């Protein structure tokens, strides 16, 4: 039988394990472990086995290990993990795809009853329908102002009722009623709070971004850069086309108001000098379209005329043959 380890030995072993994980893995998911049982955690470890390791421990011990390991190795990037170790959290070290690992962790949520004093993570709604309870149980519903009726010797809820709101504590009456109805409204599991990747820390929402989301964000960024560049007259690649267009407009306005001119401004001056040319230019486009469209129409009419002549000749031949 192996000798029982002292607290000091356990701390040393824990430090060694965490240091080896920090050296081996560059990606870490910081997860909240509220209301997660040991059996559930064991199933999560099995599900992630292969490219990920789940490490739980006291925050003070984990922070101390990170700081000492950073000093010993010179790896200051891992210090960004320290501010994230707040509350009942754990670490998932992984070499796999962060999104896939996050989705795998989310699969292991387990339903849980509403216990007295627990803060509700979601709104709890009791659906309408037959409860299967006998009429003597109506006192529970009356206390909670839930409309009911007696149907075939059992209590039936008439309309859906919001029993508990998110953020509220579960009362004894609510817990008793949900227990009688067999409703387990809450589900608990490891929840990803932050993502560490080679020294960078970001929200897990980033893992859900698609290519369309990235393209939209990039377009928004380009628009902001363009607006700022135009406002302060600072040339950038994004603003350059707009600057050239604006410069051309300014040069054209100067040419129109002065004797100075250039080839592109000559045509504008010509139109301004004789406004009737605007009408000529505008009429030229439809006329051109009519000319191009007239050829098929003329050809069609000619074909119809030939067809009519052929029909007439056919009728004449028929009459002649009839009297031959």
């Amino acid at each position: 039988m192996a000798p029982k380890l002292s607290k000091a030995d356990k701390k040393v072993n824990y430090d060694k394990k965490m240091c080896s994980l920090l050296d081996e893995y560059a990606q870490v998911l910081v997860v909240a472990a509220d209301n997660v049982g040991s059996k559930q955690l064991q199933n999560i470890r099995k599900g992630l086995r292969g490219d990920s390791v789940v490490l739980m421990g006291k925050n003070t011990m984990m922070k101390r290990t990170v700081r000492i390991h950073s000093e010993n190795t010179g790896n200051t990037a891992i210090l960004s993990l320290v501010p994230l170790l707040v509350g009942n959290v754990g670490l998932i070290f992984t070499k796999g795809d962060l999104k896939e690992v996050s989705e795998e962790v989310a699969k292991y949520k387990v339903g849980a009853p509403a216990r007295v004093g627990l803060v509700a993570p979601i709104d709890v709604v009791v659906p309408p329908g037959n409860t299967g309870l006998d009429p003597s149980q109506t006192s529970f519903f009356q206390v909670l102002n839930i409309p009911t009726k007696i149907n075939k010797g059992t209590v039936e809820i008439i309309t859906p009722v919001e029993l508990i709101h998110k953020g509220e504590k579960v009362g004894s009456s609510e817990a008793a009623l949900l227990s009688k109805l067999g409703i387990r409204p809450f589900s608990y599991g490891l929840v990803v709070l932050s993502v560490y990747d080679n020294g960078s820390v970001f929200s897990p929402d980033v893992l859900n971004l698609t290519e369309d989301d990235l393209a939209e964000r990039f377009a928004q960024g380009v628009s902001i850069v363009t607006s700022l560049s135009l406002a302060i007259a600072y040339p950038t690649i994004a603003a350059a086309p707009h600057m050239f267009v604006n410069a051309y407009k300014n040069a054209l306005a100067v040419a129109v108001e002065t004797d100075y001119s250039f080839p592109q401004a000559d045509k504008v001056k010509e139109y301004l000098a004789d406004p009737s040319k605007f009408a000529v230019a505008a009429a030229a486009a439809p006329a051109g379209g009519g000319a191009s469209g007239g050829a098929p129409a003329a050809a069609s009419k000619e074909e119809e005329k030939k067809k009519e002549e052929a029909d007439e000749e056919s009728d004449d031949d028929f009459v002649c043959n009839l009297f031959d």
Side-chain angles (χ1 to χ4, degrees):
M1 184 176 178
K4 188 176 180 180
L5 296 175
S6 64
K7 286 186 178 180
D9 292 334
K10 289 181 179 178
K11 287 184 178 180
V12 171
N13 291 340
Y14 186 89
D15 286 344
K16 288 180 180 178
K17 181 179 180 179
M18 188 169 183
C19 288
S20 65
L21 292 174
L22 290 170
D23 287 334
E24 185 178 355
Y25 296 87
Q27 299 178 140
V28 183
L29 298 177
V30 181
V31 294
D34 294 331
N35 303 298
V36 177
S38 57
K39 176 68 175 177
Q40 186 179 357
L41 191 59
Q42 184 180 358
N43 292 334
I44 295 173
R45 292 182 194 274
K46 289 181 180 178
L48 296 178
R49 188 172 295 167
D51 58 0
S52 303
V53 178
V54 180
L55 181 69
M56 307 299 293
K58 292 183 178 180
N59 292 346
T60 52
M61 189 181 299
M62 289 192 286
K63 289 179 180 179
R64 173 180 171 276
T65 301
V66 171
R67 291 192 181 103
I68 292 176
H69 190 68
S70 176
E71 292 176 3
N72 293 338
T73 61
N75 183 5
T76 57
I78 60 175
L79 291 176
S80 55
L81 284 171
V82 174
L84 306 178
L85 301 175
V86 179
N88 186 18
V89 297
L91 302 176
I92 299 178
F93 295 85
T94 182
K95 293 180 180 178
D97 182 85
L98 290 170
K99 184 178 181 181
E100 292 179 0
V101 175
S102 179
E103 291 174 349
E104 183 67 24
V105 170
K107 292 179 182 178
Y108 293 90
K109 286 190 175 182
V110 176
R115 296 193 296 271
V116 178
L118 191 69
V119 177
I122 58 171
D123 293 332
V124 179
V125 178
V126 178
N130 197 309
T131 64
L133 301 176
D134 60 83
S136 64
Q137 304 291 326
T138 54
S139 58
F140 284 106
F141 300 96
Q142 291 173 355
V143 170
L144 298 169
N145 296 320
I146 298 176
T148 60
K149 67 178 181 180
I150 305 302
N151 185 16
K152 297 181 180 179
T154 57
V155 179
E156 182 177 328
I157 299 175
I158 300 173
T159 58
V161 178
E162 288 190 9
L163 187 63
I164 308 171
H165 294 283
K166 181 179 179 181
E168 293 180 350
K169 286 188 176 182
V170 179
S172 57
S173 299
E174 290 89 347
L177 177 61
L178 291 171
S179 177
K180 285 181 177 294
L181 295 176
I183 297 175
R184 298 166 67 89
F186 305 141
S187 60
Y188 297 107
L190 296 181
V191 179
V192 180
L193 300 177
S194 302
V195 181
Y196 169 90
D197 188 1
N198 289 293
S200 301
V201 177
F202 50 88
S203 167
D205 294 336
V206 175
L207 301 178
N208 298 323
L209 290 176
T210 62
E211 292 184 1
D212 292 337
D213 295 329
L214 294 175
E216 183 180 352
R217 298 286 179 89
F218 180 77
Q220 291 175 354
V222 171
S223 177
I224 292 172
V225 170
T226 302
S227 301
L228 180 61
S229 299
L230 292 174
I232 64 176
Y234 183 82
T236 60
I237 294 177
H242 303 280
M243 288 182 168
F244 284 126
V245 170
N246 291 338
Y248 170 73
K249 289 179 181 178
N250 293 335
L252 186 61
V254 171
V256 168
E257 294 296 328
T258 64
D259 294 334
Y260 174 78
S261 187
F262 53 93
Q264 289 79 2
D266 290 339
K267 193 169 185 179
V268 175
K269 287 186 174 183
E270 185 179 347
Y271 280 132
L272 293 176
D274 185 5
S276 62
K277 290 187 177 180
F278 280 112
V280 175
S292 60
S300 178
K301 288 181 179 180
E302 190 170 343
E303 288 179 3
E304 290 179 2
K305 187 176 180 181
K306 288 181 179 180
K307 186 177 180 181
E308 289 176 0
E309 292 176 353
D311 291 341
E312 290 176 0
E313 291 178 1
S314 176
D315 292 341
D316 293 341
D317 293 340
F318 174 76
V319 173
C320 293
N321 293 335
L322 184 63
F323 292 99
D324 280 347

